[in-house]
Amino acid sequence: MHATGTSSRPALSFWQIWNMSFGFLGIQFGFALQGGFMSRIFQTLGAEKDALPLLWIAAPLTGLLVQPVIGWFSDRTWHPVLGRRRPYFVIGALLSSIALLFMPHSPTLWMAVGLLWVLDASINISMEPFRALVADKLPEQQRSYGFVLQTLIIGIGTWIASNLPWFVTLLGVPNEAGPGVVPPSVKIAFAIGAFVFMASILVTVFTTREYPPEDLQRFRDENRMQRNLFSEIFKHVRAMPLQMRRLGTVQFFSWLAFFTMWSMATPGLTEHVFKAPAPNPAAFDMANATQAAAFQSANAAFQDAADLVGSYMGYYGLSSMLVALLLSFIAARRPLNRKAVHAMSLVLGGVGFLSMWAVPDPAWLILSFALVGVAWASILSMPYALLSSCVPAPKMGIYMGIFNMFIVIPQIVAATLLGPALRGLFDNRPIFAMAISGTSLLLAALALVRVQEPSPEASA
């Protein structure tokens, strides 16, 4: 039996770390399809652009509830076949795949909103234990490498999934439909995402083994003696390390920026850069042939522009993949200064968002999103590497879940306040949301001043 601590963990090979992280390919397919195309689905089903952030509130609310709960349960789980974290991978993947299949077939706006709740909760069931698995399996000196490899896989998933509707359209699948109907290209893309999600999770489940508790009976006895779920979560929130609190501020501004992008990039860029806003069916008399043709023309322009926005957003996944690949080569050979890497990356991402206001041609969005991808690569790896050094190994799941609260709380703030802010301060022009994202990443970089870079001795 292996000990429950991490000091005696053997170093793993590249392929062992790759296989244990491969399920993130599917998780990111789910997140990229959700992030790149939910606003498009909402607008197709009749949502007003200033209502989009509030419709997205389902995603962070489910994360706020699900992540610490799943972290607590996964810390206390030991299945004789699937181990500690893998049971949650399988459950989350099955539910996520079902939600992805049904999402683009929603006949009404509120059904799509309800399925977003299901999808995001299900993705979180799979995702939260993946962060803990890296810390479970790897010795301290390999954790930066592990989280960076995880980010590399996430970048691959983001790039491919973001381009799926565009690619499916190139194959001849229609990219437009009648009023209130999601195009077939999006439906097929979501179906592909459902398959990839389940298949990639199963790769990790079948190729990765977890270390059992050193004394299984003692492990079970201690879990029985622990207090109930919510008192345990509250106790650990109160006792969280200072490093975790300081990183929480950085996470707040980082994820405020990306939630704003996911919810508002489609209306902001289709309107400001492509000059093809989503048409309102109520503004057209469909009984009039001329009016109906005008709607179809405007809708076709919007759907084509939305395809391109999704495709360009894929470049932040491609960029993050390349950055993660570079960092993985460096981290495999020498310790990273995680704080410095993260600060520089956040600044570059902020510049990327701010540049979207003034691109002279839509193709320049490739560069803007590439800069955003540098920040994304760092956000998905460096905070977790900085955190894992100060969290006790047996409590890794619950602390990772609590840490993820710093991801979902800013998203709830944005979902609640972004729409009114755009209406009241920015004449309901959604492109200003990208400026908010850029400013937020710059504030996140500034907040890193208070975060400590663990000494090499502490990481040994």
Side-chain angles (χ1 to χ4, degrees), residues 75-159:
D75 280 342
R76 295 161 57 89
T77 295
W78 183 258
H79 187 276
V81 176
L82 293 177
R84 174 173 291 171
R85 314 297 181 186
R86 288 176 296 158
Y88 301 93
F89 300 168
V90 175
I91 294 169
L94 182 61
L95 295 175
S96 298
S97 297
I98 293 171
L100 283 167
L101 281 172
F102 283 98
M103 175 69 75
H105 297 274
S106 301
T108 63
L109 177 61
W110 290 108
M111 183 173 287
V113 172
L115 281 170
L116 178 59
W117 280 82
V118 176
L119 177 60
D120 203 80
S122 304
I123 293 176
N124 277 293
I125 290 171
S126 284
M127 183 188 72
E128 194 284 330
F130 257 102
R131 299 293 190 194
L133 181 67
V134 171
D136 287 345
K137 293 276 290 178
L138 295 179
E140 172 63 33
Q141 62 269 24
Q142 276 197 311
R143 285 187 186 165
S144 292
Y145 183 44
F147 285 119
V148 166
L149 270 186
Q150 208 173 69
T151 302
L152 173 62
I153 292 172
I154 290 171
I156 295 170
T158 300
W159 181 61

Side-chain angles (χ1 to χ4, degrees), residues 220-280:
R220 288 170 175 163
D221 291 343
E222 288 176 347
N223 284 335
R224 279 196 294 267
M225 289 188 295
Q226 286 180 3
R227 291 178 289 180
N228 65 52
L229 164 64
F230 294 105
S231 65
E232 280 289 304
I233 292 174
F234 182 69
K235 180 186 76 173
H236 285 90
V237 168
R238 291 184 61 188
M240 74 173 67
L242 180 61
Q243 176 87 332
M244 186 172 174
R245 295 178 187 272
R246 290 175 172 173
L247 279 168
T249 304
V250 180
Q251 292 289 83
F252 179 92
F253 288 111
S254 300
W255 287 89
L256 179 70
F258 275 86
F259 178 87
T260 299
M261 178 191 76
W262 293 325
S263 60
M264 297 305 296
T266 295
L269 298 177
T270 54
E271 179 180 301
H272 180 77
V273 177
F274 290 90
K275 315 301 181 187
N280 181 3

Side-chain angles (χ1 to χ4, degrees), residues 38-108:
M38 277 311 304
S39 287
R40 175 180 180 178
I41 291 173
F42 287 159
Q43 285 190 282
T44 298
L45 294 173
E48 296 293 335
K49 60 189 178 185
D50 59 335
L52 291 174
L54 194 58
L55 294 175
W56 270 81
I57 200 170
L61 277 178
T62 52
L64 182 65
L65 296 172
V66 169
Q67 288 176 353
V69 171
I70 293 300
W72 185 82
F73 276 111
S74 70
D75 280 342
R76 295 161 57 89
T77 295
W78 183 258
H79 187 276
V81 176
L82 293 177
R84 174 173 291 171
R85 314 297 181 186
R86 288 176 296 158
Y88 301 93
F89 300 168
V90 175
I91 294 169
L94 182 61
L95 295 175
S96 298
S97 297
I98 293 171
L100 283 167
L101 281 172
F102 283 98
M103 175 69 75
H105 297 274
S106 301
T108 63

Side-chain angles (χ1 to χ4, degrees), residues 178-179 280-296:
N280 181 3
F284 296 84
D285 179 6
M286 295 301 176
N288 181 293
T290 302
Q291 289 276 305
F295 170 82
Q296 289 296 340

